[in-house]
Amino acid sequence: MTQLRSQENSYNAGKLQVLEGLDAVRMRPGMYIGTTGVRGLHHLLWEIVDNGIDEALGGYATELIVTLHKDGSASVWDNGRGVPVDEHPQYHITGIELIYTRLHAGGKFDNNNYAYSGGLHGVGASVVNALSKWMTVDSFRDWAHYQMRFETVWDEKEKKWHAGKPVGGLEKLGNTRKRGTLVRFMPDENIFTEDHRFNSETVSRRLRELAYLNKGLKITFVDERAKEDDKKQMEFCYAGGISDYVKYLNLNKTPLHADPILLEGKKDDILCTVAMQYTDSYTESVFSYVNNIPTSEGGTHEMGFRTALTKAFNDYARKIGALKEKDANLAGEDFREGLTAVVTVMVKNPQFEGQTKGKLGNSEVKPAVEAIVTGQLYEFLENLKNGELAQKIIEKAVKSAKVREAARKARDVARQRNSLEAAPLVGKLSACTGRKPVENELFIVEGDSAGGSAKQGRDRHFQAILPLRGKPLNAEKKRLDQVLQNEEFRSLITALGTNIDEDFDISALKYHKVIILSDADQDGAHIRAILLTFFYRYMKELIAQGHVYIGMPPLYLVKRPGGIQEYAYDDKALRKLTEGKKNYTIQRYKGLGEMNPEQLWETTMDPANRRLMRVTLEDAAREDEIITVLMGDKVDPRREYIISHAEFNREDTFEQHAQAQMN
Ligand code: 28F
């Protein structure tokens, strides 16, 4: 991103679009940003960030600064061309007004005009304006500094809000040599009633990801709200792009080669970049993106990648005689054992499908990616200086195939045994009496003592308890056959009834709610991460169909005179409970074990009162990434990371709870 394109004409005359005002957005915000919870709140920020990224993708900007301000507003700055301030030839308003006050404003946001823009977030900056209390846009352009301010105002006569109205018109504040755009906005608390504070972790994580995905782009994150001693400023800039990303993912693993293999190409307007590095571990970690948007459910780009990998390596294995004529091809998964890869594509009209819209559907992408990756891999393998590594990869795949065969046999034996004598394996399970899977719930409870309380406190008609003794082993580090030998996982698999992996059968599921109950501490987070990774890898469908939940025990018990006791599930609720009151004591729950059976039932298990969070594939993929990065064989930094990064946003709870209860 070092080469900058020169300024171009502000407007290309294009076809006129029908433009709407912003009031529609406030009537149904969900239609534009999905939810009005924390996710929707962050959507606003991503929308503005995306515009800055687009400016960089176009070759006009090299730098972004994202700031979370003390007053609750957020701002984004880029050093691109600046938003046009002259009158648009067709709409007869300034570029600024067009972008920020008209829904689906054309030009830059018109798909035909702009090569690749992320469909999901592409709802337009005007939506951000509509859902903000106020917004300011500064354009540094043509040697001058322009500013425009928008406000959402209450109309007393008409008794309604007017969204994102320009106040004071376009102002020229002075001359400048700078170039770029600065947008600052204040999310409207009337819309984001649950929570209107940005999450530092969520923002920095995404910005880091964007910096990896956009090679050389410098993104600075500033959190002005952070306490003095906290780190306030972070800078993300990666000269190696996704190659650096793959190295980062493998930080705690042992790579088989120093530099990731980089494959890159363009075909039929589809741009594809892959970085991949083999490690001595046994699991596959493929992370994919379309137009900078993560696709946790995969899709046609991943399919193309896999097919190409299998084909190119099998051909090569035959060429060097590792596979003889009579031998069958090695399976795709054999070439993916121990592989960490990032696959990115840029596509013109991406179609997102699946439960969480995290799956690319465009059929034309598979052959394009397949052709690019096959071609590039052949080239890589033919290069003599890669011979040694190529040999190593083939050897690893051959070994993987052997182990896979052994595991299959072990599984067949296990399966036969299970069907004959299922009972002994689920010895720890306290089953429920009800026989309707749709109504039944399985609580996976951390620790024997909490397990005991849960057993006594539960409603045995529909609630089953599976206590976990100690930590289940880390599914990441082990081969499938080892995972299957672990008693904790085996009881879990048997209890659920679905089997795993290729044999997974959702119709055999015995509990339609699978609820993880762990302590709100480091160990609890660790156990939860391991369980989620296990589900993500071996029972993905279970998560995809929305059967997996996190149980949320209260964090506090507030006691007031007269024997009044109330529970608070997070700090915000605690504040509400104690605000303006005197004479109370607060008990902080550290673990589930501190609650007696009645309390556990009342607060955490009773469907009438409890808080559940439904786990999405995105959540699980994030846990998977955390496990991938931090639970390799090298141990040190991981525990702390889990507690600071894997913390689910408790504010999400209410939304998810409501959703869960509606089913
Ligand atoms: C803080 C986030 O939003 N950056 C932006 C530009 C540049 C142009 C532009 C944006 C709408 C109707 C075209 C400049 N010069 N960062 C940003 N940088 N929007 S948003 O144009 C949008 C107009 O027609 C730009 C020439 N063409 C486009």
Side-chain angles (χ1 to χ4, degrees), residues 279-307:
T279 70
D280 68 355
S281 85
Y282 300 115
T283 43
E284 159 193 351
S285 301
V286 177
F287 297 93
S288 66
Y289 296 85
V290 177
N291 300 357
N292 286 334
I293 300 164
T295 35
S296 54
E297 295 175 76
T300 49
H301 52 332
E302 276 195 26
M303 282 159 61
F305 167 69
R306 285 204 206 100
T307 308

Side-chain angles (χ1 to χ4, degrees), residues 14 96 116 253 323 329 437 455 478 513 524 555 567 590 602 622 661:
I96 291 193
Y116 310 104
K253 295 185 178 177
L323 282 181
N329 269 354
K455 221 159 115 179
K478 305 294 172 196
K513 284 203 176 75
L555 289 181
Y567 298 103
K590 290 188 208 75
E602 228 176 88
R622 196 174 55 217
Q661 292 305 312

Side-chain angles (χ1 to χ4, degrees), residues 147-149 165-171:
Q147 190 181 60
M148 194 156 182
R149 185 180 165 89
K165 287 284 165 213
V167 280
L170 180 73
E171 272 190 276

Side-chain angles (χ1 to χ4, degrees), residues 209-221:
E209 181 175 65
L210 281 168
Y212 276 127
L213 293 170
N214 297 278
K215 184 161 75 183
L217 174 64
K218 179 171 153 193
I219 305 181
T220 306
F221 171 53

Side-chain angles (χ1 to χ4, degrees), residues 359-488:
K359 182 175 180 182
L360 182 67
N362 302 50
S363 59
E364 74 279 10
V365 175
K366 181 177 183 275
V369 170
E370 192 180 324
I372 293 166
V373 175
T374 318
Q376 292 264 301
L377 258 184
Y378 280 149
E379 219 172 277
F380 175 87
L381 292 170
E382 272 157 24
N383 191 332
L384 286 181
K385 74 173 200 273
N386 298 323
E388 205 182 320
L389 172 56
Q391 180 85 30
K392 252 198 243 177
I393 295 171
I394 301 292
E395 275 165 22
K396 189 173 162 75
V398 169
K399 218 192 296 166
S400 158
K402 285 192 183 131
V403 173
R404 186 164 48 80
E405 183 54 23
R408 192 184 59 76
K409 281 184 187 145
R411 193 159 48 189
D412 282 349
V413 173
R415 188 165 31 204
Q416 275 166 9
R417 204 169 48 204
N418 281 356
S419 58
L420 293 176
E421 33 163 14
L425 259 184
V426 280
K428 293 188 262 177
L429 175 81
S430 302
C432 54
T433 53
R435 288 282 161 259
K436 289 193 193 131
V438 197
E439 289 164 12
N440 289 350
E441 306 178 342
L442 176 67
F443 283 85
I444 306 170
V445 186
E446 170 185 359
D448 272 339
S449 78
S453 288
K455 221 159 115 179
Q456 288 173 40
R458 68 175 171 152
D459 181 336
R460 60 169 58 247
H461 293 104
F462 68 101
Q463 294 180 320
I465 310 294
L466 181 69
L468 286 184
R469 290 198 191 97
K471 279 182 198 173
L473 91 161
N474 185 352
E476 154 80 9
K477 280 204 279 189
K478 305 294 172 196
R479 292 175 196 265
L480 183 59
D481 54 333
Q482 289 169 301
V483 170
L484 285 176
Q485 273 162 27
N486 177 260
E487 223 182 290
E488 308 298 319

Side-chain angles (χ1 to χ4, degrees), residues 9-11 48 51-52 55 76 78 81-82 84 99 108 141 181:
N9 245 350
S10 299
Y11 306 108
I48 304 300
N51 290 342
E55 196 61 2
V76 183
D78 73 55
R81 294 166 295 178
I99 296 183
K108 173 166 177 159
R141 192 184 162 88
T181 305

Side-chain angles (χ1 to χ4, degrees), residues 15 41 51 118 139 264 292 317 323 343 447 498 554 568 572 625 639:
K15 53 176 191 284
L41 177 79
N51 290 342
S139 178
E264 218 164 352
N292 286 334
L323 282 181
V343 177
T498 55
K572 197 167 140 196
E625 181 185 326
R639 288 174 65 103

